[in-house]
Amino acid sequence: MMSAEPIIYILIFVAVLMLVEGIYLTVFGKSISLNNRVNRRLDLLEKGAAREQVMEQLRKEMSQHAKFKGFPLYSILSQKAQKANIAFTPPQLIMLMVGLMGVAFVGLTVGTETEPPIRAAISVAMGIGGIYVWVNNKAKKRMAMLEEQLPDAVELMVRSLRVGHPFNAAIQIVAREVPDPLGTEMGFIADESAYGRDVGEALKALAERVDMQDLRFLAVAVTIQATSGGNLAEILDGLAKVIRARFKLFRRVKAITAEAKWSGTFLSAFPVVALVMINIIKPNYYDEVIDTPAFIPACLIVAAFLIVNVFVMKMLVNIKV
């Protein structure tokens, strides 16, 4: 007789991820999505919010996750949530974790016959893991879009400078023309500079917050030009070429290592998939050895090797550009 419990576990976890995304879009609307042509800052301004209110809201969202790095449960999420610029506050994310644990527990109770302590443990893992996977995916997507948008944004600054606009005006043009995520970030920098903050410092703060090397280059270039002078348009034009070349090199390295990454993923996932399929096709396969003293230690050793394998495979294909 085939056991459907592994499939139920997978379906419940997928439902948890979809529930998080649905709640996020319901609370903040489509303006929080990264694929909108009009960036979130402009959308908030068009809805009638004052410039100061938009600045305050964006500043709160950008800095709220860094303040909770010392919180025990939230420390595993703070850096990823900061890069993803999750609009949920840290307490809201923690409450969402607890709520997802409850949803997962109800789903496991209805769909499986697992013992209550095991259901509780799996529910906790699904609640925390679901939020982590969702935030991690958001962070990866946002960082990839920032890296892709930056060369075009710098070239737009160069064209603006060459026709006579000051650098602050060039930043404002980028904020109007570039979609999220970079459009909102540049708009926030433009608003800060309008209220007296140094643009170089604002760019450096952005680079440190998202931990992006190309933005650090831009911040350094702007700061050096402001202190020692020079043709900023030519400096940024050279910087745009360097950033685009690094981006092309990164894509090439990604293509070269794609086969190794998929091989590592296959080798890491195959034992787990095989275990699930054995449990589905023949649930009593391990009945003859499950009560032996060596069964649990052997399972722990295999699990440890699988975990080590994942980290080793990542180290082998993690090439810095």
Side-chain angles (χ1 to χ4, degrees):
M1 183 179 178
M2 296 177 64
S3 173
E5 287 195 2
I7 298 177
I8 293 174
Y9 294 154
I10 296 172
L11 291 176
I12 291 175
F13 187 71
V14 172
V16 164
L17 294 178
M18 294 177 65
L19 181 61
V20 177
E21 183 69 16
I23 293 173
Y24 195 58
L25 291 177
T26 300
V27 173
F28 296 101
K30 292 184 178 180
S31 66
I32 203 71
S33 179
L34 296 180
N35 57 3
N36 284 343
R37 176 56 189 161
V38 178
N39 63 59
R40 185 157 184 258
R41 171 179 167 271
L42 292 180
D43 185 73
L44 292 173
L45 289 172
E46 289 176 358
K47 288 180 179 178
R51 190 177 184 182
E52 294 81 3
Q53 293 176 335
V54 173
M55 277 187 64
E56 184 61 29
Q57 181 176 347
L58 294 177
R59 181 183 290 111
K60 181 180 178 181
E61 292 175 3
M62 291 172 182
S63 62
Q64 62 187 354
H65 301 288
K67 298 177 181 178
F68 279 73
K69 286 184 178 180
F71 195 83
L73 182 61
Y74 195 75
S75 59
I76 61 174
L77 281 175
S78 59
Q79 187 174 6
K80 297 288 185 183
Q82 186 171 323
K83 288 183 178 181
N85 198 33
I86 299 297
F88 279 137
T89 64
Q92 287 172 341
L93 273 180
I94 294 173
M95 286 176 12
L96 196 55
M97 272 187 198
V98 176
L100 293 177
M101 292 175 194
V103 171
F105 186 81
V106 172
L108 291 171
T109 302
V110 173
T112 68
E113 297 179 356
T114 312
E115 295 295 326
I118 298 177
R119 287 203 304 267
I122 295 175
S123 300
V124 171
M126 284 187 176
I128 297 175
I131 293 293
Y132 181 83
V133 169
W134 178 74
V135 171
N136 187 51
N137 288 339
K138 287 285 186 183
K140 285 183 177 180
K141 182 179 179 181
R142 188 169 187 268
M143 292 302 298
M145 293 187 71
L146 278 172
E147 291 172 352
E148 189 171 353
Q149 289 176 321
L150 187 58
D152 294 333
V154 175
E155 289 176 351
L156 182 56
M157 293 178 195
V158 171
R159 292 194 294 270
S160 301
L161 291 171
R162 283 176 174 169
V163 299
H165 292 297
F167 185 65
N168 287 352
I171 293 284
Q172 293 175 2
I173 292 172
V174 172
R176 289 196 305 268
E177 299 298 328
V178 176
D180 275 337
L182 191 59
T184 294
E185 295 287 357
M186 288 299 176
F188 182 73
I189 290 174
D191 290 340
E192 284 192 317
S193 66
Y195 283 92
R197 187 176 186 184
D198 181 70
V199 178
E201 291 181 2
L203 286 169
K204 183 179 178 181
L206 170 61
E208 294 300 325
R209 177 159 46 83
V210 299
D211 191 21
M212 186 173 170
Q213 190 63 36
D214 291 336
L215 276 172
R216 292 191 180 97
F217 293 156
L218 176 61
V220 169
V222 172
T223 302
I224 291 176
Q225 191 276 337
T227 55
S228 61
N231 190 333
L232 184 58
E234 294 300 324
I235 295 172
L236 294 185
D237 184 49
L239 178 61
K241 292 177 181 178
V242 171
I243 294 174
R244 198 173 292 282
R246 289 182 75 247
F247 189 71
K248 289 181 179 179
L249 179 59
F250 177 76
R251 286 289 180 90
R252 184 175 299 177
V253 170
K254 188 176 181 180
I256 293 172
T257 58
E259 182 181 356
K261 288 182 178 179
W262 278 108
S263 298
T265 301
F266 175 79
L267 292 174
S268 301
F270 179 76
V272 178
V273 174
L275 180 63
V276 171
M277 293 305 298
I278 289 172
N279 190 47
I280 292 174
I281 297 171
K282 193 174 181 181
N284 301 325
Y285 185 79
Y286 294 103
D287 285 356
E288 296 181 2
V289 296
I290 196 170
D291 294 326
T292 59
F295 183 77
I296 298 300
C299 291
L300 295 175
I301 292 172
V302 170
F305 274 116
L306 286 175
I307 294 172
V308 171
N309 169 72
V310 172
F311 286 104
V312 171
M313 288 295 181
K314 282 189 175 183
M315 290 172 60
L316 290 176
V317 298
N318 186 23
I319 300 175
K320 299 293 184 182
V321 179

